[in-house]
């Protein structure tokens, strides 16, 4: 497959339209078969459920060119399952999980010329999403929905290497107990925008959200899960019913245990113990792991022993192993890699 004439090294994490996108519609209680289209625009009612009551959810994943030239997608079945959970919580019709995976593969195949070459550091970002499309004026679920998948090539999240970031403890709450923090709903991200812009204005890279009920336990950031490493090398991630179950985080925990032989633990993490960890990172699709060097708690700094110069040693091994699996340099666990043929 001949690649598009794109300066892959100059790509950032932004939107660049590709040739095709997948569209399926739900009407009269059933999904149609869906189709690929070259039309990147959407026409909906001014009273559409998504516009009036934010009835929408989405997913994010990537396709890569492996070392041996294959085009692969990382764990799309987990994205399908997570979107199904999101749909059920938002009273939206579930797009069948097998059809979800097939739609993703079909969309990537139609845009394979946009999958960046191996070694470029870039990848093809995949965005499946769904929204209520018919008119809804009373507060109730829509009756018609659209499921779409588009792709866009993106550059490496860290140009010139991953440098540790500085985050702050936020005074805002990300999600309430028994709310929607555990699903990938657009409304969760809308509420985080004020807090992240404020953090940037104050000189911080991200927010650390604590649990809304007691404000004593670590939850996540606006778009990533936390990962900590103890001084004796154990990998710890926060457990909560109101954080998003990150696919990257789950994959890293399995890598830590099965590839690196490390002890892993998913449990409640109290903020008071954060100062005792050796390393800290934020994990998600975009960056895989963003190392954290400092946490600012209302003027009091927590500085991790791993420092502000580079990733800590355990975090770095985790990052290199998972990206090696994604790029085909390291053999993947069964079912993790879906090849586009």
């Amino acid at each position: 497959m001949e690649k598009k004439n794109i300066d892959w090294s100059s790509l950032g994490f932004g939107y660049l339209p590709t040739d095709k996108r997948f569209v399926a519609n739900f009407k009269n209680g059933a999904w149609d078969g869906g189709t690929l289209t070259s039309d990147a625009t959407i026409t909906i009612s001014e009273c559409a459920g998504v516009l009036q009551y934010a009835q929408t959810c989405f997913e994010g994943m990537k396709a890569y060119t492996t070392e041996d030239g294959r085009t692969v997608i990382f764990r799309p079945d987990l994205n399908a399952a997570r979107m199904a959970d999101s749909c059920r919580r938002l009273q939206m019709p579930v797009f069948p999980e097998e059809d979800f995976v097939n739609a993703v593969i079909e969309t990537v195949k139609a845009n394979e010329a946009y999958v960046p070459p191996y070694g470029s550091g870039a990848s093809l970002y995949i965005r499946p999403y769904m929204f209520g499309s018919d008119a809804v004026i009373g507060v109730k679920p829509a009756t018609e929905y659209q499921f779409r998948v588009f792709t866009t090539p993106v550059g490496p999240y860290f140009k010139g290497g991953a440098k540790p970031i500085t985050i702050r403890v936020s005074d805002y709450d990300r999600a309430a107990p028994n709310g929607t923090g555990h699903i990938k709903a657009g409304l969760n991200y809308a509420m985080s925008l004020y807090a992240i812009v404020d953090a940037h204005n104050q000189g911080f890279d991200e927010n650390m959200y604590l649990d809304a009920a007691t404000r004593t336990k670590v939850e996540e950031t606006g778009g990533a899960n936390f990962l900590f490493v103890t001084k004796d090398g154990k990998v710890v991630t926060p457990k909560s019913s109101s954080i998003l179950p990150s696919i990257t985080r789950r994959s890293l925990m399995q890598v830590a245990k099965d590839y690196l032989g490390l002890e892993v633990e998913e449990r409640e993490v109290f903020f008071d113990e954060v100062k005792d960890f050796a390393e800290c990172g934020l994990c998600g699709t975009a960056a895989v792991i963003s190392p954290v060097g400092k946490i600012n708690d209302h003027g009091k700094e927590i500085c991790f022993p791993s420092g502000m110069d580079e990733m800590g040693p355990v975090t770095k091994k985790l990052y290199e192993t998972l990206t090696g699996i994604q790029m085909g340099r390291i053999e993947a666990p069964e079912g993790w890699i879906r090849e586009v043929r």
Side-chain angles (χ1 to χ4, degrees):
M1 167 66 67
E2 185 178 349
K3 301 296 184 182
K4 293 287 184 179
N5 185 22
I6 294 173
D7 182 2
W8 307 107
S9 63
S10 69
L11 286 173
F13 199 84
Y15 174 66
L16 176 67
T18 54
D19 294 340
K20 298 288 185 179
R21 63 274 308 137
F22 181 89
V23 183
N25 290 285
F26 182 90
K27 190 173 183 178
N28 297 324
W31 288 101
D32 64 20
T35 187
L36 289 172
T37 176
S38 58
D39 188 357
T41 61
I42 299 171
T43 302
I44 53 176
S45 166
E46 63 183 353
C47 196
V50 62
L51 301 178
Q52 303 308 315
Y53 304 119
Q55 202 180 12
T56 181
C57 60
F58 69 98
E59 280 297 323
M61 67 195 87
K62 289 181 176 179
Y64 308 87
T65 301
T66 62
E67 191 172 24
D68 59 3
R70 295 173 297 134
T71 299
V72 301
I73 305 167
F74 185 69
R75 309 195 78 177
D77 57 312
L78 295 190
N79 293 95
R82 190 168 66 180
M83 178 171 262
D85 288 340
S86 297
C87 289
R88 283 187 281 264
R89 181 63 176 81
L90 294 173
Q91 281 295 303
M92 300 168 71
V94 170
F95 193 73
E97 293 181 31
E98 185 176 348
D99 293 344
F100 175 106
V101 173
N102 289 337
V104 166
I105 292 173
E106 190 176 343
T107 308
V108 172
K109 188 173 183 179
N111 296 295
E112 199 164 2
Y114 289 92
V115 182
Y118 175 80
S120 65
S123 55
L124 187 73
Y125 186 80
I126 309 162
R127 170 56 58 85
Y129 60 110
M130 189 192 299
F131 56 89
S133 55
D134 65 326
V136 180
I137 196 64
V139 182
K140 60 183 180 180
T143 60
E144 297 178 10
Y145 296 84
Q146 192 166 102
F147 170 79
R148 299 176 70 99
V149 183
F150 71 79
T151 60
T152 184
V154 295
Y157 196 83
F158 298 111
K159 294 199 174 192
K163 294 295 182 184
I165 61 176
T166 300
I167 66 176
R168 70 169 183 183
V169 177
S170 179
D171 290 327
Y172 301 97
D173 294 326
R174 176 188 165 272
N178 303 314
T180 58
H182 63 295
I183 64 169
K184 206 165 176 68
L187 56 91
N188 293 342
Y189 294 81
M191 63 71 54
S192 74
L193 297 178
Y194 182 91
I196 190 60
V197 170
D198 184 61
H200 290 165
N201 289 340
Q202 300 298 322
F204 302 104
D205 298 293
E206 252 296 358
N207 289 293
M208 169 183 275
Y209 290 106
L210 304 179
D211 73 293
T214 70
R215 297 195 60 78
T216 62
K217 291 174 279 192
V218 176
E219 293 255 301
E220 61 167 271
T221 69
N225 284 185
F226 276 99
L227 180 149
F228 299 101
V229 181
T230 65
K231 290 176 180 175
D232 59 357
K234 181 191 294 184
V235 180
V236 178
T237 60
K239 183 176 183 178
S240 167
S241 61
S242 57
I243 65 175
L244 187 73
S246 164
I247 292 163
T248 303
R249 187 259 302 164
R250 284 180 274 171
S251 301
L252 286 166
M253 293 296 274
Q254 188 169 337
V255 163
K257 182 181 178 182
D258 296 344
Y259 283 72
L260 303 182
L262 301 174
E263 188 177 350
V264 300
E265 188 175 21
E266 182 184 0
R267 61 170 173 82
E268 291 185 336
V269 174
F270 287 86
F271 180 70
D272 285 349
E273 63 180 302
V274 169
K275 65 183 184 303
D276 299 321
F277 289 119
E279 300 175 38
C280 174
L282 311 180
C283 46
T285 299
V288 181
I289 304 177
S290 302
V292 176
K294 284 184 197 174
I295 298 175
N296 187 295
D297 179 19
H298 301 87
K300 181 182 178 180
E301 285 191 342
I302 297 172
C303 300
F304 293 101
S306 52
M308 291 296 294
D309 294 326
E310 58 183 18
M311 280 188 176
V314 175
T315 304
K316 187 175 182 180
K317 285 180 183 176
L318 287 168
Y319 175 85
E320 290 177 344
T321 306
L322 186 57
T323 54
I325 290 170
Q326 291 170 334
M327 296 292 180
R329 295 189 297 268
I330 298 173
E331 186 175 352
E334 186 175 355
W336 278 29
I337 300 297
R338 290 296 297 265
E339 187 171 348
V340 175
R341 297 181 180 178

